[in-house]
Amino acid sequence: MTRLRFVLRHPFWQGVILLVVAYLAFTIGVQYVPPLFGVSSAPVPHSVVLQYMFIAVIGVLIFVSSDELRWRTFKEPLYATLVDRDKRWLRMGLLVAVPVLLGFETYQQARPRVDAPIELRSIHPAPPGQISFRGKTIQLSGLENPLRKAGAMADHLREGRRVYYQNCIACHGDHLDGQGHFAHGFSPSPANFSDNGTIAQLTESYVFWRVAKGGPGLPREGTPWNSAMPVWENYLTEDEIWSVVMFLYDQTGVQPRRWEASPEEQKNPTGTKQPTTSTGGPK
């Protein structure tokens, strides 16, 4: 008890305790305490934690040096570690541990990561004019969902629902919001189809292309990313992909962008169509 009282009253150990409490508050408290009161929170980035801890160290040094007697008492353990004969084992341990820790931290900062680098990229890169789907050439420009003019809509939506819940729900979620069970493990996160910035800005042929070709099919302007989107043409038929595309629009309540013939194309019906938007080509 006496030993504990000595530790709690000593400025050096008070500073150490304050730094430990500050670190736990920055790394654990900020993330987990607010949710206990119904306030959402998130982990603090490592770089921000370092900045906060630097400020905490400055605060502790100001505290212990604000009084001459406290400052001298604070330095006693440091002086003893550097000079006392019976602390030689401790000095040797620090001589090894400090370079090892610095080297480990340097390695952590310099090692290759799978995170997408901070570089400009196109969220909706321009699609190719045509793609090859299982050996069949499909012209994307001007292409509408063929299922909208064939068969019963209810049957197509039922098929799209089946395809989605068998293949897509784990990542894109039950609410099509990109919050599936596996979503937290991907960078970038799976697309949130209920966001107006995703399929609401795209033609169905664009969505068909992205589903069919997946992450490996992204053009250069859509990278760098480590998209885990599979190449679904390897597993789904053409009609299954069109049906799930139709299901996405039906469930989110948004309408796909439509193709419209340009004035030149109106003079030449066999020409290439452009999507109806004032911002240019398809995203």
Side-chain angles (χ1 to χ4, degrees), residues 6 37 79 82 88 93-94 102 109 120 123 132-133 146 149 156 166 172 192 203 213 241 243 245 247 251 261:
F6 168 79
F37 300 96
Y79 183 82
L82 295 175
R88 184 176 181 182
L94 291 174
L102 290 176
Q109 295 296 327
L120 295 177
I123 297 177
S132 175
F133 185 94
K149 297 180 180 179
H156 298 322
Q166 286 184 351
H172 292 283
N192 175 6
T203 63
K213 299 301 180 182
I241 295 179
S243 66
V245 171
F247 171 76
Q251 289 297 298

Side-chain angles (χ1 to χ4, degrees), residues 69-140:
L69 177 60
R70 184 189 297 130
W71 179 241
R72 283 203 303 268
T73 308
F74 174 81
K75 293 187 296 182
E76 287 176 353
L78 300 176
Y79 183 82
T81 301
L82 295 175
V83 176
D84 291 358
R85 289 181 176 275
D86 61 342
K87 300 294 189 305
R88 184 176 181 182
W89 61 271
L90 181 57
R91 287 194 293 273
M92 296 300 294
L94 291 174
L95 188 63
V96 174
V98 170
V100 169
L101 289 175
L102 290 176
F104 177 76
E105 181 62 22
T106 303
Y107 167 76
Q108 290 295 320
Q109 295 296 327
R111 69 183 175 89
R113 300 175 183 277
V114 297
D115 298 340
I118 304 176
E119 296 179 17
L120 295 177
R121 75 176 188 100
S122 174
I123 297 177
H124 299 310
Q130 64 182 30
I131 61 172
S132 175
F133 185 94
R134 297 188 176 185
K136 171 186 175 182
T137 300
I138 297 179
Q139 188 77 25
L140 293 180

